[in-house]
C-alpha cells in the first residue's frame, strides 16, 4: 500500500473531492443513463417487433440497470433514481436509501421471468449478459445486506432486524434471510455446482466453469476488453518475466495473513492459490531477479501502510496470484483469455450458510461444502467463521468491504488502521457524494459525516 490512493482506501481518508470516488459515481451513472436511453429506443421501435420480444429486451436492460443501481446503493446510499435519459439535472431528486433498495428489488423481480435461463458465463448468445441466475444472485446479495440497505440513517448506530423485515416473492411472504435462501436455491436448481478444483474458475479459457455465474468476457478475438487489474500488484521484474507489465502495487494486509494462518503449521490451502510469497520464478522455473540483480522475494510480514524509502519498499507483501497466466497474452498482459469472475456458486453457498445462521438455523453443510473442495478442515458455521471464510474463499473478488460493513467491522480499528475521529457512528460505511456532483445538482444533500 505504498501509494496515496491505496492508503486513502485503507484509512478511509477519502474526501468529497477524491477523483476516484468521482470517477466511480460518473461511470455508474453513465451506464444508468445509457440504459435509460436503450429502453427509450426500444419503446420507439416496438412496432418492429412482437410485444413479448420487446418486453424481453427491456427486461434485460432493466436488470442490467438495476445492477448499476445496486452498486450506487451499496457505495453511496442516498442517490437519485431516474429512468429517463433526458431529465434535466434540476429535475432529478435524491432518494432515501430504502427507496433505492425497493426500486432495485422491484426492477429485478419484474424482469426476472422475462430473462433467459441460459448460463451467462458460457460462450454463446448469452455470454456476459444478464440472465435469470445472474439476477437471482443480485437479489440474494440485496437481501443479504437488507439490514444495511433499508436503513435510511446508518449513523444512528441502530438498524432494522432482518428477521422482522418481510418481502413478497412469487406470492409468498419471506423474511430477509428466507429471501436470501430462496434465491440461492433457485441458483442451485439451475444446475450450478462447485468446480472440482478451486483454481479452475480462474484459469485461461475458464468459460466452461460449472461454478461461475457472471463474468466479464475476456477474449482476444471476440471481446477485446483490456484490463490491467489482474496482475498489477506484482513486482515489475516478476510480471516482466511472465510476459506482461505491472505496477508493484497492492498486497495482502496483516489481517489477511492472520486469517489465512500464513507461516503457521496449518495454513489455509487457498493461500498458495491466491498469493505469491517468497522467492519468485519464471515460467521455466528460473529465479527472477530485478534490474539490480537482486532476487525478487515477496516478504508478506513486512507490509506497512507506508513503505516509502524503506529497505523492503518494493518487496513487502504477498501479491495477487488468483488468475492463471495466459502465456499468449497481448498488450503487456491487458488482453488475456481469463474471464474475470464477478459472481460464482461458492459465494451462493456462503450466502446461504450465513442467512441460515442469521435465521437461527444450521449453516454447517454449505460452509463446509466450500471448505471440503480445498480440503480445509471442518468448521462450525458461526458468524466469525463465515466472515473469515468469505475472505479465504473470495480474496481479490471485491466483496470484503461489503462483508465487513454487514458484520459491523468496517468502521472499527484493525491492525494498521486506527478508527477515525467520529467514525464510531459508521459514517464511512458509505462514500461521500462527490463535491462536483453537489455543485451541479443543488437538490442533493451530502451524506452524513462529510458535511
Amino acid at each position: 500500500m505504498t501509494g496515496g490512493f491505496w492508503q486513502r482506501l485503507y484509512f478511509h481518508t477519502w474526501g468529497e473531492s477524491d477523483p476516484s470516488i468521482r470517477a466511480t459515481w460518473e461511470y455508474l451513472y453513465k451506464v444508468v443513463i445509457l440504459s435509460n436511453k436503450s429502453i427509450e429506443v426500444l419503446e420507439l421501435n416496438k412496432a418492429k417487433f412482437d410485444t413479448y420480444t420487446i418486453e424481453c429486451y427491456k427486461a434485460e436492460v432493466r436488470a442490467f440497470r438495476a445492477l448499476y443501481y445496486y452498486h450506487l446503493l451499496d457505495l453511496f446510499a442516498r442517490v437519485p433514481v431516474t429512468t429517463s435519459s433526458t431529465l434535466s439535472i434540476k429535475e432529478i431528486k435524491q432518494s432515501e436509501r430504502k427507496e433505492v433498495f425497493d426500486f432495485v428489488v422491484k426492477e429485478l423481480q419484474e424482469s426476472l421471468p422475462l430473462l433467459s435461463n441460459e448460463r451467462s458465463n458460457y460462450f454463446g448468445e448469452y455470454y456476459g449478459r444478464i440472465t435469470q441466475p445472474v439476477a437471482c444472485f443480485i437479489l440474494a446479495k440485496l437481501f443479504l445486506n437488507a439490514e444495511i440497505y433499508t436503513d435510511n440513517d446508518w449513523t444512528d448506530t441502530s438498524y432494522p432486524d432482518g428477521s422482522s423485515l418481510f418481502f413478497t416473492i412469487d406470492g409468498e411472504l419471506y423474511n430477509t434471510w428466507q429471501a436470501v435462501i430462496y434465491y440461492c436455491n433457485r441458483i442451485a436448481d439451475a444446475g450450478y455446482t462447485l468446480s472440482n478444483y478451486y483454481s479452475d474458475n480462474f484459469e485461461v479459457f475458464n468459460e466452461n466453469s460449472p461454478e461461475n455465474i457472471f463474468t466479464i468476457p475476456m477474449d482476444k478475438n471476440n471481446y477485446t476488453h483490456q484490463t490491467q487489474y489482474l496482475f498489477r500488484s506484482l513486482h515489475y521484474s516478476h510480471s516482466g518475466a511472465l510476459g506482461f507489465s505491472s505496477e508493484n502495487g497492492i498486497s495482502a494486509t496483516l489481517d489477511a495473513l492472520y486469517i489465512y494462518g500464513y507461516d503457521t503449521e496449518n495454513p489455509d490451502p487457498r493461500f498458495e492459490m491466491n498469493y505469491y510469497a517468497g522467492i519468485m520464478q519464471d515460467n521455466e522455473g528460473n529465479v527472477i531477479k530485478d534490474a539490480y540483480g537482486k532476487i525478487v522475494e515477496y516478504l508478506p510480514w513486512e507490509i506497512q501502510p507506508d513503505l516509502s524509502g524503506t529497505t523492503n519498499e518494493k518487496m513487502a507483501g504477498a501479491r495477487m496470484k488468483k488468475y492463471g497466466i495466459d502465456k499468449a497474452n497481448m498488450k503487456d498482459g491487458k488482453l488475456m483469455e481469463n474471464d474475470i469472475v464477478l459472481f460464482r456458486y461458492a459465494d451462493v453457498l456462503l450466502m446461504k450458510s450465513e442467512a441460515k445462521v442469521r435465521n437461527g438455523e444450521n449453516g454447517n453443510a454449505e460452509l463446509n461444502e466450500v471448505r471440503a473442495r480445498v480440503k480445509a478442515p471442518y468448521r462450525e458455521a458461526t458468524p466469525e467463521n463465515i466472515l473469515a471464510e468469505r475472505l479465504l474463499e473470495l480474496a481479490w473478488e471485491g466483496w470484503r468491504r461489503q462483508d465487513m460493513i454487514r458484520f459491523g467491522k468496517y468502521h472499527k480499528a484493525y491492525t494498521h488502521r486506527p478508527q477515525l475521529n467520529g467514525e464510531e457512528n459508521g459514517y464511512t460505511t458509505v462514500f461521500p457524494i462527490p463535491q462536483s456532483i453537489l455543485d451541479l445538482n443543488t437538490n442533493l444533500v451530502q451524506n452524513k459525516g462529510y458535511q
Side-chain angles (χ1 to χ4, degrees):
M1 296 180 296
T2 57
F5 171 72
W6 302 113
Q7 288 174 341
R8 291 196 304 276
L9 289 183
Y10 187 71
F11 287 119
H12 303 177
T13 54
W14 50 74
E16 295 90 333
S17 299
D18 190 294
S20 300
I21 293 175
R22 184 182 70 248
T24 300
W25 174 287
E26 291 173 348
Y27 169 72
L28 292 172
Y29 268 108
K30 173 184 175 181
V31 177
V32 165
I33 298 303
L34 288 173
S35 298
N36 293 345
K37 182 65 175 178
S38 295
I39 293 171
E40 291 163 2
V41 170
L42 286 169
E43 276 293 314
L44 287 173
N45 291 277
K46 62 183 179 181
K48 299 177 182 178
F49 302 89
D50 64 88
T51 301
Y52 180 75
T53 299
I54 282 291
E55 290 305 310
C56 287
Y57 285 148
K58 286 169 59 179
E60 188 172 345
V61 179
R62 288 174 66 191
F64 187 71
R65 180 179 63 189
L67 170 62
Y68 282 78
Y69 269 120
Y70 156 74
H71 289 304
L72 285 160
L73 165 70
D74 182 69
L75 297 172
F76 298 101
R78 298 178 68 242
V79 299
V81 173
T82 177
T83 57
S84 169
S85 70
T86 58
L87 207 62
S88 70
I89 289 177
K90 292 182 179 180
E91 297 175 280
I92 296 176
K93 307 295 183 182
Q94 193 169 18
S95 296
E96 294 294 338
R97 196 172 203 180
K98 186 179 184 302
E99 291 180 279
V100 185
F101 171 85
D102 290 340
F103 171 78
V104 178
V105 169
K106 180 174 180 290
E107 287 291 289
L108 288 167
Q109 288 183 335
E110 290 182 356
S111 300
L112 191 58
L114 294 168
L115 298 176
S116 169
N117 263 320
E118 295 294 322
R119 295 190 63 128
S120 175
N121 66 307
Y122 284 1
F123 191 83
E125 182 181 356
Y126 290 93
Y127 188 34
R129 291 169 61 180
I130 300 285
T131 59
Q132 285 195 17
V134 176
C136 285
F137 187 98
I138 304 168
L139 283 161
K141 282 289 181 187
L142 283 160
F143 289 117
L144 187 70
N145 293 281
E147 289 182 337
I148 307 299
Y149 294 161
T150 61
D151 186 8
N152 288 334
D153 185 357
W154 51 91
T155 65
D156 64 1
T157 68
S158 66
Y159 53 86
D161 177 7
S163 300
S164 302
L165 292 172
F166 289 91
F167 304 92
T168 300
I169 305 173
D170 294 338
E172 299 289 335
L173 204 60
Y174 297 86
N175 74 17
T176 296
W177 316 123
Q178 293 167 338
V180 176
I181 294 167
Y182 172 88
Y183 285 111
C184 288
N185 286 341
R186 283 199 56 168
I187 295 170
D189 291 343
Y192 291 84
T193 61
L194 294 179
S195 297
N196 290 332
Y197 300 100
Y198 177 80
S199 59
D200 286 352
N201 300 301
F202 312 99
E203 289 294 348
V204 182
F205 304 114
N206 56 345
E207 295 90 347
N208 293 322
S209 163
E211 180 174 345
N212 292 341
I213 297 169
F214 192 40
T215 63
I216 300 175
M218 298 294 292
D219 186 301
K220 289 190 285 286
N221 299 310
N222 298 295
Y223 299 94
T224 53
H225 306 306
Q226 294 189 37
T227 181
Q228 61 181 345
Y229 296 109
L230 296 189
F231 305 103
R232 70 186 301 175
S233 76
L234 303 188
H235 185 281
Y236 320 110
S237 298
H238 184 191
S239 62
L242 298 176
F244 46 86
S245 61
S246 62
E247 299 179 0
N248 200 28
I250 51 175
S251 305
T253 63
L254 288 181
D255 297 273
L257 298 180
Y258 295 140
I259 293 171
Y260 273 97
Y262 173 69
D263 216 13
T264 66
E265 291 184 359
N266 297 297
D268 188 272
R270 285 161 290 194
F271 183 84
E272 290 190 357
M273 303 174 191
N274 288 333
Y275 297 94
Y276 287 110
I279 296 174
M280 293 297 102
Q281 299 178 337
D282 62 20
N283 293 325
E284 282 70 47
N286 302 309
V287 172
I288 299 170
K289 297 182 179 180
D290 66 14
Y292 303 98
K294 182 180 179 181
I295 292 174
V296 175
E297 180 181 7
Y298 296 131
L299 305 169
W301 292 118
E302 297 302 317
I303 191 66
Q304 298 176 36
D306 191 347
L307 291 158
S308 303
T310 65
T311 303
N312 300 310
E313 179 178 1
K314 295 182 179 179
M315 300 291 187
R319 310 302 173 88
M320 200 278 265
K321 185 186 177 181
K322 196 155 198 170
Y323 283 80
I325 303 298
D326 183 358
K327 296 179 182 179
N329 72 76
M330 299 168 62
K331 293 186 180 294
D332 285 334
K334 296 182 180 69
L335 279 179
M336 62 196 76
E337 296 287 349
N338 318 60
D339 290 350
I340 299 172
V341 180
L342 301 177
F343 305 162
R344 61 187 177 95
Y345 185 65
D347 196 351
V348 173
L349 289 170
L350 294 179
M351 285 195 287
K352 184 175 178 181
S353 176
E354 182 181 336
K356 289 173 75 172
V357 168
R358 290 181 183 274
N359 203 44
E361 304 172 43
N362 189 312
N364 290 344
E366 292 78 14
L367 174 66
N368 286 287
E369 184 176 347
V370 174
R371 291 181 61 76
R373 191 252 300 271
V374 295
K375 297 180 171 54
Y378 183 92
R379 279 185 177 176
E380 292 292 320
T382 63
E384 181 181 25
N385 285 343
I386 290 169
L387 179 59
E389 189 66 24
R390 292 191 61 80
L391 182 145
L392 297 169
E393 177 69 21
L394 303 170
W396 305 104
E397 294 183 50
W399 297 113
R400 193 61 179 169
R401 169 189 165 274
Q402 185 185 98
D403 293 342
M404 290 183 71
I405 291 172
R406 189 170 65 255
F407 281 84
K409 296 182 180 296
Y410 183 75
H411 62 289
K412 297 180 179 178
Y414 40 87
T415 55
H416 286 135
R417 198 198 86 86
Q419 189 176 64
L420 297 180
N421 183 32
E423 195 182 11
E424 61 276 0
N425 68 5
Y427 80 91
T428 57
T429 59
V430 302
F431 290 108
I433 298 173
Q435 186 60 49
S436 59
I437 302 301
L438 294 174
D439 293 341
L440 286 172
N441 188 346
T442 56
N443 293 324
L444 304 186
V445 177
Q446 182 60 275
N447 287 326
K448 288 186 177 181
Y450 297 107
Q451 291 95 330

